[in-house]
C-alpha cells in the first residue's frame, strides 16, 4: 500500500538576474510596467494624471532644494537584494560621479524613497513599506492622494518602521537637513 503525502504548491521565485533574462528574451515586454518584489513579478498600476502631476511637482521641488547634495531619480529601479527591484516614484540617492551607470542603487545608496499613492495605497503601505524596512531604507514618505496626507516613516527594523510622522506644509529628509520640501501643493 502506498502512502500519499499532500504537499502545498511551491512558488518559483525569480531573482533579479532571472527578471532581466526574461526581459532580454522578450517574455517581459519593454512597455510593460512591472517590478520584482520578493521574487514575484508584479504588474504595476497605470499612472493616472493626478499621480503623474504630483510626481512631476515633487521632482521639480526635490531638484530645486537638494541641488548637488543628492541625485533625484524618478520611477527607476532600486535593487534590494537578489529578489527585489522595486521602482519607487522618487528616490533621493547619495551622489555618485557615474550616476549609478553600472548598477542600480542599493539600500546603502538611498537617502529617501517617496511613493505617491492613490489606487496603489494598500500595496505601497502593506507590501512596499515592509520591503523597504527589511532592507534598511532609512526613510520613506507615503503621499496619500486620496486623504491628501504625507506620512514619513523612519527607523527601519525588520519588516516595519518604528516611527511614523504625519507631515504638514513642509519637511526635510532626515539625512538632508536644511533641504526643506514644500508639501502643501499636492
Amino acid at each position: 500500500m502506498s502512502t500519499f503525502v499532500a504537499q502545498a504548491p511551491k512558488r518559483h521565485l525569480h531573482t533579479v538576474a532571472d527578471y532581466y533574462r526574461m526581459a532580454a528574451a522578450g517574455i517581459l515586454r519593454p512597455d510593460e510596467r512591472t517590478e520584482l518584489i520578493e521574487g514575484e513579478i508584479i504588474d504595476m498600476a497605470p499612472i493616472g494624471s493626478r499621480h503623474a502631476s504630483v510626481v512631476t511637482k515633487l521632482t521639480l521641488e526635490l531638484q530645486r532644494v537638494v541641488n548637488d547634495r543628492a541625485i533625484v531619480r524618478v520611477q527607476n529601479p532600486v535593487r534590494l537584494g537578489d529578489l527585489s527591484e522595486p521602482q519607487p516614484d522618487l528616490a533621493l540617492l547619495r551622489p555618485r560621479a557615474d550616476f549609478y551607470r553600472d548598477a542600480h542603487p542599493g539600500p546603502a545608496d538611498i537617502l529617501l524613497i517617496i511613493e505617491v499613492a492613490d489606487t496603489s495605497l494598500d500595496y505601497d503601505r502593506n507590501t512596499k513599506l515592509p520591503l523597504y524596512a527589511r532592507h534598511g531604507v532609512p526613510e520613506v514618505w507615503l503621499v496619500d492622494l486620496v486623504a491628501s496626507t504625507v506620512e514619513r516613516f523612519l527607523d527601519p527594523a525588520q519588516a516595519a518602521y518604528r516611527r511614523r510622522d504625519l507631515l504638514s506644509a513642509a519637511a526635510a529628509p532626515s539625512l538632508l537637513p536644511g533641504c526643506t520640501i514644500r508639501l502643501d501643493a499636492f
Side-chain angles (χ1 to χ4, degrees):
M1 176 182 225
S2 66
T3 303
F4 177 75
V5 178
Q7 291 182 346
K10 291 183 182 179
R11 288 183 175 188
H12 179 78
L13 301 180
H14 303 285
T15 66
V16 173
D18 296 336
Y19 184 59
Y20 279 94
R21 281 194 295 274
M22 285 189 257
I27 296 167
L28 298 173
R29 294 187 325 265
D31 62 336
E32 286 183 292
R33 293 190 67 243
T34 62
E35 58 186 359
L36 185 67
I37 305 294
E38 300 292 33
E40 295 187 70
I41 298 169
I42 307 295
D43 290 325
M44 296 170 63
I47 298 173
S49 60
R50 182 169 180 214
H51 184 282
S53 172
V54 169
V55 170
T56 300
K57 285 181 187 180
L58 276 169
T59 301
L60 294 173
E61 180 71 6
L62 288 168
Q63 289 172 333
R64 183 183 68 77
V65 300
V66 302
N67 202 2
D68 61 353
R69 292 180 61 192
I71 294 171
V72 179
R73 293 215 357 176
V74 183
Q75 296 172 334
N76 282 311
V78 295
R79 184 155 182 194
L80 304 178
D82 290 336
L83 296 176
S84 294
E85 199 171 270
Q87 295 181 35
D89 287 308
L90 292 151
L92 288 183
L93 307 173
R94 295 184 191 287
R96 258 183 40 183
D98 72 346
F99 287 83
Y100 300 92
R101 177 187 59 234
D102 298 325
H104 290 306
D109 303 308
I110 299 168
L111 302 169
L112 170 68
I113 282 182
I114 301 175
E115 292 288 0
V116 176
D118 41 16
T119 60
S120 65
L121 182 62
D122 183 60
Y123 174 68
D124 289 340
R125 183 180 305 283
N126 297 313
T127 300
K128 290 180 98 174
L129 270 174
L131 175 72
Y132 295 143
R134 268 192 304 282
H135 289 277
V137 173
E139 183 171 0
V140 177
W141 291 6
L142 182 57
V143 179
D144 180 347
L145 297 180
V146 175
S148 298
T149 59
V150 180
E151 296 172 85
R152 172 175 38 200
F153 297 87
L154 296 160
D155 197 12
Q158 296 173 336
Y161 285 88
R162 289 186 272 221
R163 182 172 159 204
R164 178 191 162 274
D165 300 320
L166 199 56
L167 302 178
S168 55
S174 63
L175 295 175
L176 291 170
C179 292
T180 302
I181 300 160
R182 292 187 320 244
L183 301 170
D184 54 357
F186 313 123

